[in-house]
Amino acid sequence: EPEVTQTPSHQVTQMGQEVILRCVPISNHLYFYWYRQILGQKVEFLVSFYNNEISEKSEIFDDQFSVERPDGSNFTLKIRSTKLEDSAMYFCASIRQVNTGELFFGEGSRLTVL
Amino acid sequence: DQQVKQNSPSLSVQEGRISILNCDYTNSMFDYFLWYKKYPAEGPTFLISISSIKDKNEDGRFTVFLNKSAKHLSLHIVPSQPGDSAVYFCAAAYSGTYKYIFGTGTRLKVLA
């Protein structure tokens, strides 16, 4: 069964450092997402990406965040200068056609900022 | 702005009984609703969905009910099994937007 894969599973970084989280969405999917979940809280939308550009983003997704699809398979989330409050699980998700089915989520990347 | 709310943070149910998880929403534009199940340190996994043109959708032990006038949906699990113990999130979306908005989650514990 096709799946969304994410790397790394866990990253520990110092405050102020840059972090890149990587995702390989399901191959025939067209819409890509990043969500995050701070421990014990809700799953929050960060950004959606379609046709090589951001289609929608939340207020959380400020100038410190960026996304990229550098090739035909990877989808990355970069945090330029991490803050303590960026510590969370980051989930990548993808879907073939929006609003017609379920988002498929990866296993998540745990980011710990010290 | 909490558009999707799950007012019960936790629920305990005996094995074999029915689990009912509730979700309320405020945005009347939502026309597609989903339930996800999440285990610790894993990504959410899809359970069942419903479009706003329906009021019920059933898949095995899982049934989702939608009451558009009350802006309320519920997930029924019957019979509940210990393996159902997890956090359940409802999510909503509408045509014209790309994002799926999640509720705060309800932790279900099924007691053997």
Side-chain angles (χ1 to χ4, degrees):
Chain A
E1 186 174 314
E3 58 181 17
V4 177
T5 57
Q6 291 185 240
T7 54
S9 56
H10 188 192
Q11 179 148 0
V12 181
T13 190
Q14 293 290 326
M15 191 169 56
Q17 294 296 304
E18 176 182 284
V19 160
I20 297 176
L21 305 178
R22 291 181 169 80
C23 169
V24 179
I26 294 173
S27 61
N28 65 349
H29 284 188
L30 302 175
Y31 297 81
F32 314 116
Y33 296 77
W34 284 101
Y35 281 79
R36 79 172 185 190
Q37 185 186 28
I38 295 171
L39 186 63
Q41 298 186 24
K42 67 175 181 174
V43 176
E44 298 177 291
F45 168 79
L46 291 179
V47 66
S48 60
F49 192 86
Y50 170 70
N51 201 24
N52 284 320
E53 60 183 24
I54 291 174
S55 48
E56 199 162 354
K57 61 182 180 179
S58 73
E59 60 276 6
I60 302 168
F61 194 88
D62 61 23
D63 292 344
Q64 293 299 312
F65 291 88
S66 62
V67 288
E68 195 177 37
R69 189 157 162 82
D71 53 43
S73 59
N74 290 284
F75 178 52
T76 62
L77 174 69
K78 182 193 289 186
I79 309 174
R80 264 179 269 283
S81 176
T82 50
K83 304 187 282 286
L84 295 176
E85 54 265 37
D86 293 328
S87 296
M89 282 288 284
Y90 287 81
F91 294 104
C92 176
S94 70
I95 190 171
R96 175 156 181 78
Q97 181 63 42
V98 70
N99 289 344
T100 61
E102 71 271 21
L103 283 176
F104 287 82
F105 283 86
E107 294 286 294
S109 294
R110 178 174 297 284
L111 176 63
T112 302
V113 182
L114 303 176
Chain B
D1 180 21
Q2 183 63 274
Q3 297 187 61
V4 181
K5 303 176 191 179
Q6 295 175 256
N7 292 318
S8 299
S10 64
L11 174 69
S12 290
V13 171
Q14 288 291 331
E15 181 179 7
R17 305 296 290 266
I18 185 171
S19 296
I20 300 176
L21 298 106
N22 294 303
C23 179
D24 297 294
Y25 60 95
T26 56
N27 190 338
S28 56
M29 292 180 67
F30 287 140
D31 55 14
Y32 191 64
F33 305 89
L34 311 92
W35 282 95
Y36 281 83
K37 175 179 177 180
K38 187 181 180 303
Y39 294 115
E42 292 185 13
T45 54
F46 170 75
L47 276 177
I48 192 168
S49 63
I50 188 166
S51 150
S52 61
I53 61 173
K54 295 186 175 182
D55 54 20
K56 177 182 173 181
N57 189 26
E58 193 171 352
D59 184 1
R61 295 187 297 116
F62 302 94
T63 303
V64 56
F65 294 92
L66 176 62
N67 182 335
K68 289 186 288 295
S69 61
K71 295 193 180 69
H72 177 84
L73 66 154
S74 61
L75 174 69
H76 293 209
I77 307 173
V78 57
S80 302
Q81 299 172 352
D84 295 329
S85 297
V87 178
Y88 288 76
F89 291 94
C90 63
Y94 62 89
S95 305
T97 186
Y98 294 89
K99 62 184 178 184
Y100 291 62
I101 298 173
F102 282 74
T104 49
T106 297
R107 182 177 301 279
L108 173 66
K109 189 170 184 180
V110 180
L111 307 169

